[in-house]
Amino acid sequence: LRPYKPSDAAIITSWIKDEYRMRQWCADRYNSYPVTPEDMNCFHCRFMNGETSRAMTMCDGDEVVGYITMRVPANDRAEQRLGFVIIDDSKRGRGLGKALVSIATKFAFEKLGASKVSLGVFENNLAAIHCYEAVGFHRVTRAETESYLCLGEIWKCVEMERYGG
């Protein structure tokens, strides 16, 4: 896992094959499909400051195979929130998603001092939910369910978290 580089954008955006998967990945954070490398780099310039928000790229040797963001929600440095989790679609089924989330979670606990790591995932993304559960995340209930308008439908989020220790 290393810090995201602008040159990673062309590789990462090539993994997003249709708008449905794009929305599962980013909800409404990007305005239109397809997400271009320029869109992604612009997003990073605006929202990833390296302190309270960061983007990380997972590599297998020199090959980029995954991407994830981490941010401090609500100015609470005890929590890191994962987002924008994506793996090279041609390498699915090899455990890379579990590895990416595990490495990022370990980084959050050990390097960033988090005591909790959280994430939100759309309830229609069963493969991702299974991945997160497999690496120790548990569903939690919130007073209000987060939801987004995606492709003309309301998509509800499943809130998940994992505690360190």
Side-chain angles (χ1 to χ4, degrees), residues 79-152:
E79 181 179 353
Q80 287 288 320
R81 187 153 180 91
L82 303 182
F84 294 89
V85 179
I86 191 168
I87 292 294
D88 180 343
D89 60 315
S90 72
K91 294 175 174 42
R92 288 186 180 265
R94 298 183 191 178
L96 292 174
K98 291 176 192 170
L100 175 60
V101 174
S102 292
I103 293 166
T105 301
K106 182 177 180 181
F107 181 85
F109 290 139
E110 294 180 4
K111 302 289 186 201
L112 301 178
S115 57
K116 177 173 87 171
V117 177
S118 64
L119 59 87
V121 58
F122 286 122
E123 64 186 7
N124 65 8
N125 196 341
L126 298 178
I129 292 169
H130 175 73
C131 173
Y132 303 141
E133 289 175 336
V135 297
F137 281 81
H138 301 281
R139 296 176 193 224
V140 294
T141 303
R142 297 274 187 241
E144 234 178 85
T145 301
E146 191 174 359
S147 63
Y148 294 84
L149 178 62
C150 295
L151 303 174

Side-chain angles (χ1 to χ4, degrees), residues 6-18:
S7 58
D8 297 337
I11 297 162
I12 295 163
T13 57
S14 76
W15 302 336
I16 306 164
K17 303 295 189 209
D18 59 53

Side-chain angles (χ1 to χ4, degrees), residues 8 11 15 19 25 33 47 59 113-114 165:
D8 297 337
I11 297 162
W15 302 336
E19 189 170 4
W25 174 64
Y33 175 80
F47 299 109
C59 297

Side-chain angles (χ1 to χ4, degrees), residues 29 52-54 69-74 79-82:
R29 300 306 190 256
T52 57
S53 57
R54 67 193 72 233
T69 64
M70 291 179 260
R71 67 179 173 84
V72 175
E79 181 179 353
Q80 287 288 320
R81 187 153 180 91
L82 303 182

